[in-house]
Amino acid sequence: MAPVASRRVRRRVRSSKQPDARGRSAEDWWWDRLAPRGSGYHLLQADSMLLVLPDLEPPRARVHRRARRRAPRSLARGPTAVAKPRTKPRPEPSLDQGLDSGWGDRIPLEVLVHIFGLLVAAHGPMPFLGRAARVCRHWHEATSHPSLWHTVTLSPSLVGRAGKGNLKGEKKLLACLEWLVPNRFSQLQSLTLIHWKSQVHSVLELVSKFCPRLTFLKLSDCHTVTAETLVMLARACCQLHSLDLHHSMDNCCPQLQVLQVSTGMNCNSTPLQLPVEALQKGCPQLQVLRLLNLIWLPKPCGRGVPQGPGFPSLEELCLAGSTCNFVSNEVLGRLLHRSPKLRLLDLRGCARVTPSGLCHLPCQELEQLYLGLYGISDGLTLAKDGSPLLTQKWYHTLRELDFSGQGFSEKDLEQALAVFSGTPGGLHPALCSLNLRGTRVTPSTVSSVISGCPGLLYLNLESCRCLPRGLKRVYRGLEEVQWCLEQLLTSPPSAREPT
């Protein structure tokens, strides 16, 4: 432990008598020069420093009182003699002494808001800001700053109690929010509601009116969440990009048929966890699911957990994205393991999905299949075989097929597209759109496809390295497709060599 002398602080005390100028030392002269009388400052001297500090209280007028004469002691000392306690008279306060407003009023407003911001970041704005606003007017002004109300978590005070107690707590909190939301939540960005049973619609209605900057909403264990409520919020809060319905989706949208979530083409954000099984349970009538340009991950279901109910009425699934995503064969199986009515499957950008995973899907009448990779296949190991598994399963119903950017070999593509040239029973295939951009398709394979599909109206052969120069382009309409067939059939063998 450090010696006591090292922590000793000396405060300069001036005597009431003014010393003679000739008898003053240099030390006294410096002390009077740094903190003259009446300046409101005093000096503190430590071992290695000299501090000039302001007086926290105005100096009080010194009261001079005459010393009272001591009364002579009584010589009689007996059991009945009782000594009277000495009482000191209270000094009367001087008229020039003002009221001390406290240190809180001396802190600048910007500094006080920053201090409150640190507390809000650690413990949340409620109930701290509500209690701090009652201290004084200065603190009330600081707590009303909108920057302190960016992230709010609201939960009724009687969580976990039965019935009427919980409803009473919700109504009491809702009455406070009717004033708080319009006056404090103008810059609210993140809102979390926990254990709300009956007033969710009323709270979200207030948020939709006064919180246009809301970007994140989490409803944890909340009941009475309807599709109309979410649509109302989505229309009012245009910046909303994250919605978490944790344990709040039990039959919340039983009649929902179309669900679409899309972002910008160059949107870089953290992956969104999608509760696949909870979505299947909450939206059993879903027919169209579109997650476009969205980087998402399925929420882990754990070991031994049975598969969800699936989407038995799903007809369209679009998971297309401009960047490589995390959709794999396992994720696709969790989504479509009970979707026999699927007609459209858009997996553009899903480089992790392989033909072996697609062939196990329960849908038997797929009409549109998009597996194109547009500029995102660089550095990825793509499957070189397996395309015949897809065409052999759906050749009788496929109307549109997209293989652009895939790494299938020439022989593999020849086997896959050969099924469209010789259909059993003399029926022509229904294929009318074929995208082979950037693949290794050969001229003989293209000729057989055009000959076997008289209804082909769109053919994309751009960047096909095995085709001759002059034929690597897009053909639209029946006439252009037939012209491409004539060029392939009439050109000499030397011109068919790849360039």
Side-chain angles (χ1 to χ4, degrees), residues 190-217:
S190 177
L191 176 63
T192 301
L193 302 181
I194 303 176
H195 295 290
W196 286 76
K197 305 301 180 185
S198 62
Q199 303 295 333
V200 178
H201 180 80
S202 301
V203 175
L204 295 183
E205 186 177 6
L206 287 173
V207 172
S208 63
K209 292 181 180 179
F210 301 100
C211 305
R213 299 186 179 183
L214 186 69
T215 59
F216 174 84
L217 175 63

Short mmCIF file of all heavy atoms in Angstrom, two decimals, residues 190-217:
data_model
loop_
_atom_site.label_atom_id
_atom_site.label_comp_id
_atom_site.label_asym_id
_atom_site.label_seq_id
_atom_site.Cartn_x
_atom_site.Cartn_y
_atom_site.Cartn_z
N SER A 190 -35.60 -0.83 -35.11
CA SER A 190 -35.71 -2.24 -34.72
C SER A 190 -36.73 -2.36 -33.59
O SER A 190 -36.62 -1.66 -32.57
CB SER A 190 -34.35 -2.78 -34.26
OG SER A 190 -34.46 -4.11 -33.81
N LEU A 191 -37.72 -3.23 -33.77
CA LEU A 191 -38.78 -3.42 -32.79
C LEU A 191 -38.96 -4.90 -32.52
O LEU A 191 -39.03 -5.72 -33.45
CB LEU A 191 -40.09 -2.81 -33.29
CG LEU A 191 -41.32 -3.01 -32.41
CD1 LEU A 191 -41.13 -2.33 -31.07
CD2 LEU A 191 -42.57 -2.49 -33.10
N THR A 192 -39.05 -5.25 -31.24
CA THR A 192 -39.27 -6.63 -30.81
C THR A 192 -40.46 -6.67 -29.86
O THR A 192 -40.49 -5.94 -28.87
CB THR A 192 -38.03 -7.20 -30.11
OG1 THR A 192 -36.90 -7.14 -30.99
CG2 THR A 192 -38.26 -8.64 -29.69
N LEU A 193 -41.42 -7.51 -30.16
CA LEU A 193 -42.59 -7.72 -29.30
C LEU A 193 -42.53 -9.14 -28.75
O LEU A 193 -42.39 -10.10 -29.51
CB LEU A 193 -43.89 -7.53 -30.08
CG LEU A 193 -44.10 -6.16 -30.76
CD1 LEU A 193 -45.45 -6.13 -31.46
CD2 LEU A 193 -44.01 -5.04 -29.75
N ILE A 194 -42.64 -9.26 -27.43
CA ILE A 194 -42.50 -10.56 -26.76
C ILE A 194 -43.74 -10.82 -25.90
O ILE A 194 -44.15 -9.96 -25.12
CB ILE A 194 -41.22 -10.60 -25.89
CG1 ILE A 194 -39.99 -10.29 -26.73
CG2 ILE A 194 -41.07 -11.95 -25.22
CD1 ILE A 194 -38.71 -10.23 -25.92
N HIS A 195 -44.34 -11.98 -26.08
CA HIS A 195 -45.44 -12.46 -25.24
C HIS A 195 -46.65 -11.53 -25.29
O HIS A 195 -47.27 -11.25 -24.26
CB HIS A 195 -44.98 -12.63 -23.78
CG HIS A 195 -43.94 -13.69 -23.59
ND1 HIS A 195 -44.20 -15.04 -23.72
CD2 HIS A 195 -42.63 -13.60 -23.30
CE1 HIS A 195 -43.09 -15.72 -23.50
NE2 HIS A 195 -42.12 -14.87 -23.25
N TRP A 196 -47.00 -11.08 -26.47
CA TRP A 196 -48.24 -10.32 -26.64
C TRP A 196 -49.34 -11.28 -27.09
O TRP A 196 -49.14 -12.06 -28.02
CB TRP A 196 -48.06 -9.21 -27.67
CG TRP A 196 -47.26 -8.05 -27.15
CD1 TRP A 196 -45.92 -8.00 -26.99
CD2 TRP A 196 -47.76 -6.78 -26.73
NE1 TRP A 196 -45.53 -6.78 -26.49
CE2 TRP A 196 -46.65 -6.01 -26.31
CE3 TRP A 196 -49.03 -6.22 -26.65
CZ2 TRP A 196 -46.78 -4.71 -25.84
CZ3 TRP A 196 -49.16 -4.92 -26.19
CH2 TRP A 196 -48.05 -4.18 -25.79
N LYS A 197 -50.49 -11.18 -26.46
CA LYS A 197 -51.57 -12.14 -26.71
C LYS A 197 -52.73 -11.56 -27.51
O LYS A 197 -53.32 -12.26 -28.33
CB LYS A 197 -52.09 -12.69 -25.38
CG LYS A 197 -51.01 -13.30 -24.50
CD LYS A 197 -50.28 -14.45 -25.18
CE LYS A 197 -49.22 -15.04 -24.26
NZ LYS A 197 -48.43 -16.08 -24.95
N SER A 198 -53.08 -10.30 -27.27
CA SER A 198 -54.30 -9.78 -27.88
C SER A 198 -54.17 -8.41 -28.52
O SER A 198 -55.06 -8.01 -29.27
CB SER A 198 -55.42 -9.71 -26.82
OG SER A 198 -55.06 -8.83 -25.78
N GLN A 199 -53.11 -7.66 -28.23
CA GLN A 199 -53.00 -6.28 -28.70
C GLN A 199 -51.92 -6.10 -29.76
O GLN A 199 -51.42 -4.99 -29.94
CB GLN A 199 -52.72 -5.35 -27.50
CG GLN A 199 -53.73 -5.41 -26.39
CD GLN A 199 -55.10 -4.91 -26.83
OE1 GLN A 199 -55.21 -4.09 -27.73
NE2 GLN A 199 -56.14 -5.40 -26.16
N VAL A 200 -51.56 -7.16 -30.46
CA VAL A 200 -50.50 -7.05 -31.46
C VAL A 200 -50.93 -6.14 -32.61
O VAL A 200 -50.16 -5.29 -33.07
CB VAL A 200 -50.12 -8.45 -31.99
CG1 VAL A 200 -49.06 -8.34 -33.07
CG2 VAL A 200 -49.61 -9.31 -30.85
N HIS A 201 -52.15 -6.28 -33.06
CA HIS A 201 -52.63 -5.45 -34.17
C HIS A 201 -52.64 -3.97 -33.80
O HIS A 201 -52.26 -3.11 -34.62
CB HIS A 201 -54.03 -5.90 -34.59
CG HIS A 201 -54.59 -5.11 -35.73
ND1 HIS A 201 -54.23 -5.35 -37.05
CD2 HIS A 201 -55.47 -4.06 -35.75
CE1 HIS A 201 -54.87 -4.49 -37.84
NE2 HIS A 201 -55.63 -3.71 -37.08
N SER A 202 -53.04 -3.65 -32.58
CA SER A 202 -53.08 -2.25 -32.16
C SER A 202 -51.68 -1.64 -32.09
O SER A 202 -51.47 -0.49 -32.50
CB SER A 202 -53.77 -2.14 -30.80
OG SER A 202 -55.09 -2.66 -30.85
N VAL A 203 -50.71 -2.41 -31.59
CA VAL A 203 -49.34 -1.91 -31.51
C VAL A 203 -48.75 -1.70 -32.90
O VAL A 203 -48.14 -0.66 -33.20
CB VAL A 203 -48.47 -2.88 -30.68
CG1 VAL A 203 -47.01 -2.42 -30.68
CG2 VAL A 203 -48.98 -2.95 -29.25
N LEU A 204 -48.91 -2.68 -33.78
CA LEU A 204 -48.36 -2.56 -35.13
C LEU A 204 -49.08 -1.49 -35.94
O LEU A 204 -48.49 -0.90 -36.85
CB LEU A 204 -48.44 -3.91 -35.83
CG LEU A 204 -47.58 -5.03 -35.23
CD1 LEU A 204 -47.68 -6.29 -36.06
CD2 LEU A 204 -46.13 -4.60 -35.11
N GLU A 205 -50.33 -1.21 -35.62
CA GLU A 205 -51.03 -0.12 -36.30
C GLU A 205 -50.41 1.23 -35.92
O GLU A 205 -50.24 2.11 -36.78
CB GLU A 205 -52.51 -0.14 -35.93
CG GLU A 205 -53.35 0.87 -36.70
CD GLU A 205 -54.82 0.76 -36.36
OE1 GLU A 205 -55.16 -0.03 -35.44
OE2 GLU A 205 -55.61 1.47 -37.00
N LEU A 206 -50.05 1.41 -34.65
CA LEU A 206 -49.36 2.62 -34.24
C LEU A 206 -47.99 2.73 -34.91
O LEU A 206 -47.57 3.80 -35.35
CB LEU A 206 -49.20 2.63 -32.71
CG LEU A 206 -50.44 2.89 -31.88
CD1 LEU A 206 -50.13 2.69 -30.40
CD2 LEU A 206 -50.95 4.30 -32.11
N VAL A 207 -47.28 1.60 -34.97
CA VAL A 207 -45.95 1.60 -35.59
C VAL A 207 -46.04 1.95 -37.07
O VAL A 207 -45.22 2.71 -37.61
CB VAL A 207 -45.28 0.23 -35.38
CG1 VAL A 207 -43.99 0.13 -36.18
CG2 VAL A 207 -44.99 0.01 -33.90
N SER A 208 -47.04 1.42 -37.76
CA SER A 208 -47.17 1.70 -39.19
C SER A 208 -47.48 3.16 -39.46
O SER A 208 -47.17 3.68 -40.54
CB SER A 208 -48.26 0.80 -39.78
OG SER A 208 -49.52 1.10 -39.18
N LYS A 209 -48.08 3.87 -38.52
CA LYS A 209 -48.43 5.27 -38.71
C LYS A 209 -47.28 6.21 -38.41
O LYS A 209 -47.11 7.24 -39.08
CB LYS A 209 -49.63 5.63 -37.83
CG LYS A 209 -50.94 4.98 -38.24
CD LYS A 209 -52.06 5.42 -37.32
CE LYS A 209 -53.39 4.78 -37.71
NZ LYS A 209 -54.50 5.19 -36.81
N PHE A 210 -46.46 5.89 -37.41
CA PHE A 210 -45.47 6.85 -36.92
C PHE A 210 -44.03 6.38 -37.04
O PHE A 210 -43.13 7.10 -36.61
CB PHE A 210 -45.75 7.19 -35.45
CG PHE A 210 -47.11 7.76 -35.21
CD1 PHE A 210 -48.15 6.97 -34.72
CD2 PHE A 210 -47.37 9.09 -35.49
CE1 PHE A 210 -49.41 7.50 -34.49
CE2 PHE A 210 -48.63 9.63 -35.26
CZ PHE A 210 -49.65 8.84 -34.76
N CYS A 211 -43.76 5.19 -37.60
CA CYS A 211 -42.39 4.68 -37.67
C CYS A 211 -42.07 4.29 -39.11
O CYS A 211 -41.98 3.09 -39.44
CB CYS A 211 -42.21 3.48 -36.74
SG CYS A 211 -42.66 3.80 -35.02
N PRO A 212 -41.85 5.25 -39.99
CA PRO A 212 -41.58 4.90 -41.40
C PRO A 212 -40.20 4.32 -41.64
O PRO A 212 -39.96 3.76 -42.70
CB PRO A 212 -41.75 6.24 -42.13
CG PRO A 212 -41.41 7.26 -41.09
CD PRO A 212 -41.89 6.70 -39.78
N ARG A 213 -39.28 4.45 -40.68
CA ARG A 213 -37.91 3.98 -40.87
C ARG A 213 -37.67 2.58 -40.30
O ARG A 213 -36.53 2.15 -40.17
CB ARG A 213 -36.92 4.95 -40.23
CG ARG A 213 -36.98 6.35 -40.83
CD ARG A 213 -35.89 7.23 -40.27
NE ARG A 213 -35.93 8.56 -40.84
CZ ARG A 213 -35.06 9.53 -40.57
NH1 ARG A 213 -34.08 9.30 -39.71
NH2 ARG A 213 -35.17 10.72 -41.13
N LEU A 214 -38.72 1.88 -39.95
CA LEU A 214 -38.57 0.55 -39.36
C LEU A 214 -37.94 -0.41 -40.38
O LEU A 214 -38.40 -0.52 -41.51
CB LEU A 214 -39.93 0.02 -38.92
CG LEU A 214 -39.93 -1.31 -38.15
CD1 LEU A 214 -39.30 -1.11 -36.78
CD2 LEU A 214 -41.34 -1.84 -38.00
N THR A 215 -36.87 -1.10 -39.96
CA THR A 215 -36.18 -2.06 -40.83
C THR A 215 -36.22 -3.48 -40.30
O THR A 215 -36.04 -4.43 -41.07
CB THR A 215 -34.71 -1.64 -41.01
OG1 THR A 215 -34.06 -1.60 -39.72
CG2 THR A 215 -34.62 -0.27 -41.66
N PHE A 216 -36.42 -3.67 -39.00
CA PHE A 216 -36.40 -5.02 -38.40
C PHE A 216 -37.58 -5.16 -37.45
O PHE A 216 -37.83 -4.27 -36.62
CB PHE A 216 -35.09 -5.24 -37.65
CG PHE A 216 -35.05 -6.55 -36.89
CD1 PHE A 216 -34.70 -7.72 -37.53
CD2 PHE A 216 -35.37 -6.61 -35.55
CE1 PHE A 216 -34.66 -8.93 -36.85
CE2 PHE A 216 -35.34 -7.80 -34.85
CZ PHE A 216 -34.99 -8.97 -35.51
N LEU A 217 -38.30 -6.26 -37.57
CA LEU A 217 -39.43 -6.55 -36.70
C LEU A 217 -39.37 -8.01 -36.27
O LEU A 217 -39.26 -8.91 -37.11
CB LEU A 217 -40.76 -6.27 -37.40
CG LEU A 217 -42.03 -6.64 -36.63
CD1 LEU A 217 -42.13 -5.81 -35.35
CD2 LEU A 217 -43.26 -6.45 -37.48
#
